[in-house]
Amino acid sequence: MIETVSLSNAAGTSLDVITVGAAITALRVADRDGNIEDIVLGFDEPDQYLDNPNYFGVVVGRFANRIAQGRFQIDNRAYQVAQNQGDNHLHGGPTGFHLREWSVADSGDTRPENAITLNYRSLDGEEQFPGNLDVSVTYRLTDANELVIDYSASTDKPTILNLTQHSYFNLAGHASGSILDHELCIHADRYTPQRPDQIPTGEIAPLDNTPLDLRTPARIGDVLSQSHQQLTYGGGLDHNYVLKDAFDATLQLVAEVREPVSGRVMRVLTDQPGMQAYTGNFIGEGCAGKDGATYGPHQGLCLETQHFSDAPNHSNFPSTLLLPGQVFASRTVYQFGIG
């Protein structure tokens, strides 16, 4: 049975999470006038998340983003995982973490009202990945209007791991239409350029003199209207921004989004080395959403904090290898305010 858990804080913000995919199904935040709107795309019914090709709201794994040809090596042993996006692997495969049933951690009377932990055990060989992998994700709403997401994972066999949260944000409200008037700032000066099939070339390149350089806030529609090969390959923004050269526990401000009509502002902090910025380019026209809404391209913005796409096949990218005895731990924070 699919469970739903609701969290709230003193600021009036509330969050709904279900056990399928550890998905965020609603996030309600006030605008400058105190009006509360749900700002994430999704579905009405929990069982609709069992057919979720856009990955609305889910935790993605075992490996988020892409793996070229679905192939990688660990200790000179070759592995072949699903090729579920053309010739390449995407987001953990056809039945990745986004479609799996997670369990709510049994914490008895000790669970705070504004936090929830969900656990999942990915068995050795699931989607052809090696090793039993125990994963947990904790969502916490603070009274400072922050959504704090903590990930943890351990394995009994060398494996690769890349986790992310795949919510689509529309700060004007999930049913309000396009995000083209949102203003986006990303605090990164480098990115990983991609081939036409959206696999990284392996280069870490400067953003200077490209429309992908968002160190100065820009209207998303103005960015997408520019002519550039990388925007053509992604159908818009669908690119990994390089935040740091190696993964460590340092939390840093990496992005800010502002919606001018509602006044809502979202800031993203993470310890991850990369962030995939995705402007919902491949949401199909007429996609049925919650509350009778229909979604289409560019109606949601994903800011997916993670390691780099195809990292196992590029020695110059931060490693995604997880070994027995190690604990992967990572934090991402979404801060909400008015500005």
Side-chain angles (χ1 to χ4, degrees), residues 4 16 18 25 38 41-49 56 174 288-293 295:
T4 301
D16 292 345
I18 61 171
T25 61
D38 185 355
L41 277 57
F43 303 116
D44 284 318
E45 300 298 331
D47 60 4
Q48 291 178 275
Y49 287 83
F56 289 143
H174 79 93
K290 56 192 169 185
D291 304 325
Y295 306 137

Side-chain angles (χ1 to χ4, degrees), residues 61-74 77-96 122-131 159-160 310 312-313:
R62 181 174 301 196
F63 199 93
N65 222 314
R66 295 163 176 86
I67 301 174
Q69 304 289 312
R71 298 174 187 164
F72 60 92
Q73 291 190 355
I74 300 176
R77 177 177 174 179
Y79 291 89
Q80 177 70 61
V81 293
Q83 294 168 284
N84 61 317
Q85 190 187 55
D87 293 333
N88 303 313
H89 178 86
L90 177 69
H91 286 342
T95 53
S122 176
L123 297 178
D124 187 13
E126 182 179 290
E127 286 288 353
Q128 290 74 56
F129 287 97
T159 193
I160 59 172
D310 199 34
N313 295 313

Side-chain angles (χ1 to χ4, degrees), residues 15-17 22-27 40 49 56-58 139 147 165 167:
L15 176 78
D16 292 345
V17 177
I24 293 173
T25 61
L27 178 57
V40 293
Y49 287 83
F56 289 143
V58 293
Y139 297 114
L147 171 58
Q165 222 294 329
S167 285

Side-chain angles (χ1 to χ4, degrees), residues 10-245:
T13 299
S14 63
L15 176 78
D16 292 345
V17 177
I18 61 171
T19 48
V20 171
I24 293 173
T25 61
L27 178 57
R28 305 172 192 90
V29 179
D31 67 8
R32 63 161 60 94
D33 297 318
N35 300 311
I36 292 178
E37 295 279 354
D38 185 355
I39 62 166
V40 293
L41 277 57
F43 303 116
D44 284 318
E45 300 298 331
D47 60 4
Q48 291 178 275
Y49 287 83
L50 295 169
D51 180 16
N52 187 5
N54 292 298
Y55 304 90
F56 289 143
V58 293
V59 170
V60 175
R62 181 174 301 196
F63 199 93
N65 222 314
R66 295 163 176 86
I67 301 174
Q69 304 289 312
R71 298 174 187 164
F72 60 92
Q73 291 190 355
I74 300 176
D75 295 333
N76 296 317
R77 177 177 174 179
Y79 291 89
Q80 177 70 61
V81 293
Q83 294 168 284
N84 61 317
Q85 190 187 55
D87 293 333
N88 303 313
H89 178 86
L90 177 69
H91 286 342
T95 53
F97 291 2
H98 64 293
L99 296 180
R100 300 289 178 165
E101 181 75 11
W102 295 57
S103 61
V104 177
D106 183 9
S107 54
D109 296 329
T110 63
R111 182 176 74 82
E113 292 183 3
N114 64 342
I116 183 68
T117 297
L118 299 104
N119 298 324
Y120 179 65
R121 166 160 266 218
S122 176
L123 297 178
D124 187 13
E126 182 179 290
E127 286 288 353
Q128 290 74 56
F129 287 97
N132 294 302
L133 183 77
D134 291 303
V135 184
S136 71
V137 58
T138 298
Y139 297 114
R140 181 166 55 94
L141 275 179
T142 74
D143 288 340
N145 232 19
E146 299 171 318
L147 171 58
V148 181
I149 305 175
D150 286 310
Y151 304 94
S152 178
S154 60
T155 184
D156 60 3
K157 189 183 293 186
T159 193
I160 59 172
L161 178 70
N162 191 21
L163 300 173
T164 195
Q165 222 294 329
H166 208 288
S167 285
Y168 290 73
F169 296 96
N170 187 323
L171 299 186
H174 79 93
S176 64
S178 86
I179 55 162
L180 297 181
D181 286 333
H182 285 49
E183 297 167 2
L184 175 61
C185 178
I186 299 177
H187 301 291
D189 59 8
R190 295 170 296 158
Y191 77 120
T192 51
Q194 56 194 21
R195 309 179 322 207
D197 63 355
Q198 295 188 268
I199 293 294
T201 64
E203 181 186 9
I204 295 177
L207 283 161
D208 304 88
N209 302 314
T210 75
L212 284 74
D213 185 354
L214 295 171
R215 284 171 284 182
T216 299
R219 179 179 172 272
I220 289 175
D222 293 340
V223 175
L224 301 191
S225 68
Q226 297 184 59
S227 177
H228 192 274
Q229 187 179 65
Q230 286 295 311
L231 292 174
T232 300
Y233 290 165
L237 274 182
D238 192 7
H239 293 80
N240 171 62
Y241 284 77
V242 176
L243 308 175
K244 59 176 75 170
D245 293 317

